[in-house]
């Protein structure tokens, strides 16, 4: 990967700068197609309001090492081989919910399966499953550790694939010149309520932490240099900061088709700028969310015009 070191104007040194990792900015063109993947914003109502689950990727990860992300990962071939009868919702409804004309059935179902599987693998949550069943998570984990696939483990225990708990939220397609990695992804973001009675535990191989945060707290910790976030997480937490409960998140997801977000980037005054639909420099003039429409890499982090206040709404 060719890395461009952009000149970052620093009129004054910010006290928290040293706490941030210096994210290398990529300037290589990626010629391979984006990899289909799925990620899930698991939400719950905490004592102070809405909370979302974040996992910190292991520092030696090939993608976004050390960064706090939502659980998720690539679509596996096995995810696409699951028959419609294994899911708890009609296949046609799952395809329609993604709002992508021409999307084939196996990919649409596979994305839902990948979302459920990756959430279990990365933080031990069985979305849509009854947490009150004693030892349910442990039973599934015992099967998968013995070499049984996630879907097969659920089927052996008589459990359906609870795709109905997943609501599509957005679709992010990495541009041909990614800013923070030399890989491209076509990621469907889902929202799902946290299953009652289950405890999130991070996978020690892929992550070093699983933590519940209020969206505003996540953005404030990012701004203070306590955690690192990538642009999709920054902008999604910004949207969530305007919502107060799981019910509001789910209602928002049901109220509209998932937003298509194809970021476009350019360099300005020595800084990388990533803009989103509705920004004057983006090819799509219509906004897909309230709040900022661009992020600029300065002070060793991605910042919105107007700073933290703009992100919090």
């Amino acid at each position: 990967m060719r890395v461009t070191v952009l000149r970052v104007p620093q009129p004054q040194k910010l006290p928290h700068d040293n706490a941030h990792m210096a994210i290398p900015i990529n300037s290589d063109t990626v010629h391979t197609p984006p990899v289909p993947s799925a990620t899930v914003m698991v939400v719950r109502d905490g004592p102070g309001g809405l909370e979302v689950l974040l996992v910190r990727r292991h520092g030696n990860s090939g993608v976004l090492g050390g960064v706090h992300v939502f659980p998720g990962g690539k679509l596996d071939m096995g995810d696409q081989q699951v028959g419609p009868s294994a899911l708890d919702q009609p296949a046609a409804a799952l395809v329609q919910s993604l709002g992508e004309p021409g999307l084939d059935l196996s990919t649409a179902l596979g994305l839902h399966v990948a979302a459920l599987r990756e959430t279990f693998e990365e933080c031990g949550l069985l979305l849509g499953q009854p947490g009150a069943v004693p030892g349910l998570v442990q039973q599934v984990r015992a099967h998968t550790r013995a070499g049984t696939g996630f879907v097969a483990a659920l089927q052996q225990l008589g459990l359906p694939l609870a795709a109905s708990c997943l609501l599509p939220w957005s679709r992010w397609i990495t541009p041909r010149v990614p800013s923070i990695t030399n890989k491209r992804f076509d990621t469907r973001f889902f929202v799902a309520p946290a299953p009652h009675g289950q405890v999130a535990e991070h996978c020690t191989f892929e992550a070093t932490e699983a933590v519940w945060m209020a969206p505003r707290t996540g953005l404030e910790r990012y701004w203070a240099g306590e955690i690192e976030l990538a642009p999709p997480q920054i902008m999604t937490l910004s949207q969530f900061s305007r919502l107060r409960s799981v019910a509001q998140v789910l209602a928002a997801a049901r109220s509209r088709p998932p937003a298509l977000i194809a970021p476009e980037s350019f360099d300005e005054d020595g800084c990388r700028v990533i803009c989103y639909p509705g920004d004057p420099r983006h090819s799509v003039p219509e906004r897909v969310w309230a709040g900022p429409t661009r992020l600029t890499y300065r002070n060793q982090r991605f910042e919105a015009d107007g700073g933290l206040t703009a992100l919090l709404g």
Side-chain angles (χ1 to χ4, degrees):
M1 177 179 73
R2 185 175 83 254
V3 174
T4 299
V5 179
L6 295 175
R7 178 177 59 83
V8 181
Q10 293 185 341
Q12 62 179 11
K13 184 174 178 61
L14 300 180
H16 53 266
D17 277 355
N18 290 336
H20 277 274
M21 298 183 300
I23 298 177
I25 300 298
N26 172 69
S27 294
D28 277 348
T29 299
V30 178
H31 298 284
T32 53
V35 176
S37 55
T39 194
V40 185
M41 290 87 72
V42 186
V43 291
R44 73 179 187 183
D45 291 319
L50 179 67
E51 295 179 347
V52 62
L53 181 64
L54 291 164
V55 293
R56 185 178 187 269
R57 293 187 63 83
H58 201 286
N60 62 8
S61 173
V63 179
L64 300 179
V67 176
H68 279 74
V69 299
F70 308 120
K74 295 183 293 185
L75 175 66
D76 287 348
M77 183 176 296
D79 299 329
Q80 301 179 72
Q81 296 173 345
V82 176
S85 61
L87 290 94
D88 69 344
Q89 192 171 15
L94 297 178
V95 175
Q96 183 178 10
S97 70
L98 290 170
E100 301 176 33
L103 182 66
D104 62 278
L105 177 65
S106 64
T107 300
L109 299 187
L111 289 166
H112 286 80
V113 175
L116 296 171
R117 175 183 55 78
E118 288 284 350
T119 304
F120 175 73
E121 291 177 354
E122 292 196 355
C123 53
L125 294 180
L126 286 171
L127 298 177
Q129 302 293 349
V133 177
L136 180 62
V137 172
Q138 290 73 17
Q139 292 178 59
V140 177
R141 186 173 286 121
H143 280 73
T144 57
R145 284 176 176 169
T148 303
F150 172 70
V151 175
L154 293 182
Q155 291 175 331
Q156 289 180 19
L157 293 169
L159 300 171
L161 281 162
S164 61
C165 73
L166 299 169
L167 295 179
W169 181 266
S170 58
R171 178 187 181 188
W172 288 71
I173 303 177
T174 310
R176 291 179 63 84
V177 182
S179 290
I180 59 174
T181 180
N182 63 343
K183 297 178 174 65
R184 296 187 69 201
F185 296 95
D186 184 352
T187 307
R188 282 69 168 193
F189 282 56
F190 297 90
V191 292
H196 294 293
Q198 297 183 29
V199 178
E201 298 178 335
H202 69 274
C203 166
T204 56
F205 178 75
E206 296 188 28
T208 58
E209 180 183 41
V211 59
W212 292 97
M213 290 188 207
R216 297 178 69 89
T217 300
L219 292 170
E220 290 167 351
R221 290 189 62 188
Y222 168 72
W223 201 257
E226 297 173 4
I227 64 172
E228 192 64 49
L229 298 172
Q233 282 69 40
I234 295 170
M235 301 309 279
T236 302
L237 289 177
S238 178
Q239 297 169 58
F240 280 12
S241 72
R242 293 162 169 79
L243 303 171
R244 296 291 175 262
S245 66
V246 171
Q248 287 188 11
V249 171
L250 301 183
R254 293 189 180 102
S255 70
R256 50 152 180 81
L260 174 59
I261 304 166
E264 298 174 1
S265 61
F266 58 93
D267 295 339
E268 184 175 73
D269 297 329
C271 297
R272 176 61 54 87
V273 180
I274 305 176
C275 61
Y276 304 97
D279 188 89
R281 289 288 297 268
H282 198 279
S283 60
V284 177
E286 295 81 14
R287 281 176 167 264
V288 295
W289 56 50
T293 58
R294 65 170 58 186
L295 294 173
T296 302
Y297 187 68
R298 53 181 171 238
N299 298 320
Q300 299 184 358
R301 66 184 176 196
F302 286 97
E303 299 183 356
D305 292 347
L308 178 62
T309 300
L311 291 172
L312 296 177

